[in-house]
Amino acid sequence: MWADTLLELERGHLQRLLMWGAICIVTGTALFAWLTWRRTAAPMLRHFAIQTAAWGAINALIALRSFRTLTMRDFGGTQELLNILWLNTGLDVGYAAVGATLAIAGWRWGMRLGAIGAGAGVIVQGIALTVLDLRLIDAIGPLR
């Protein structure tokens, strides 16, 4: 793979991450604002909205920061990128597992709807980030 091709793949990945972050910020904030405006006591939705907006902000900041450091990569740099992506993928799956644990614990210990909503929000983020990272790993393909 040529360095300019990899640079475009990495740029596309960061654009998708930024877009996901922006969608999450808007969706989470709008849901939270709607619940506040309606004065609705919906802890599951409220905590889901908080998780969605917070993760969106973090994802958007990571993408924006990473745009500044984009450069052409040689073989070693490509291998380093793949190592980081595989590590991130493992962490992303871990986030989803932690979210599931939080939701299950909230369900089993007193039907705590806030914990279930927060857990669901973390699960969504973990799965989405896993898909984004695996998409770039697949696009890069095996190194030769």
Side-chain angles (χ1 to χ4, degrees), residues 58-90:
I58 292 167
N59 291 332
L61 288 173
I62 289 170
L64 289 171
R65 182 185 163 277
S66 297
F67 268 118
R68 296 181 0 171
T69 60
L70 274 180
T71 59
M72 298 253 200
R73 295 179 183 267
D74 60 2
F75 184 82
T78 304
Q79 185 61 56
E80 181 182 336
L81 174 61
L82 281 171
N83 291 343
I84 291 169
L85 285 169
W86 279 113
L87 174 66
N88 280 347
T89 301

Side-chain angles (χ1 to χ4, degrees), residues 1 6 10 16 26 35 49 53 58 63 71 73-74 76 80 82 90-91 94 100 102 115-116 118 121-122 136-137:
M1 174 176 298
L6 178 61
E10 198 172 352
R16 284 185 291 279
V26 170
L35 290 170
I58 292 167
T71 59
R73 295 179 183 267
D74 60 2
E80 181 182 336
L82 281 171
L91 291 171
L102 180 60
I116 296 168
V122 175
L136 181 56
I137 289 169

Side-chain angles (χ1 to χ4, degrees), residues 44 48 99 102-108 111-121:
M44 185 184 301
F48 180 84
L102 180 60
I104 290 167
W107 179 270
R108 293 192 40 98
M111 195 60 110
R112 300 189 184 278
L113 297 179
I116 296 168

Side-chain angles (χ1 to χ4, degrees), residues 17-55:
L17 181 61
L18 181 60
M19 181 63 69
W20 173 250
I23 288 168
C24 289
I25 291 168
V26 170
T27 303
T29 304
L31 180 57
F32 188 84
W34 181 74
L35 290 170
T36 302
W37 177 72
R38 298 266 328 238
R39 299 177 198 256
T40 303
M44 185 184 301
L45 286 177
R46 184 173 306 278
H47 285 83
F48 180 84
I50 291 168
Q51 287 295 321
T52 301
W55 280 82

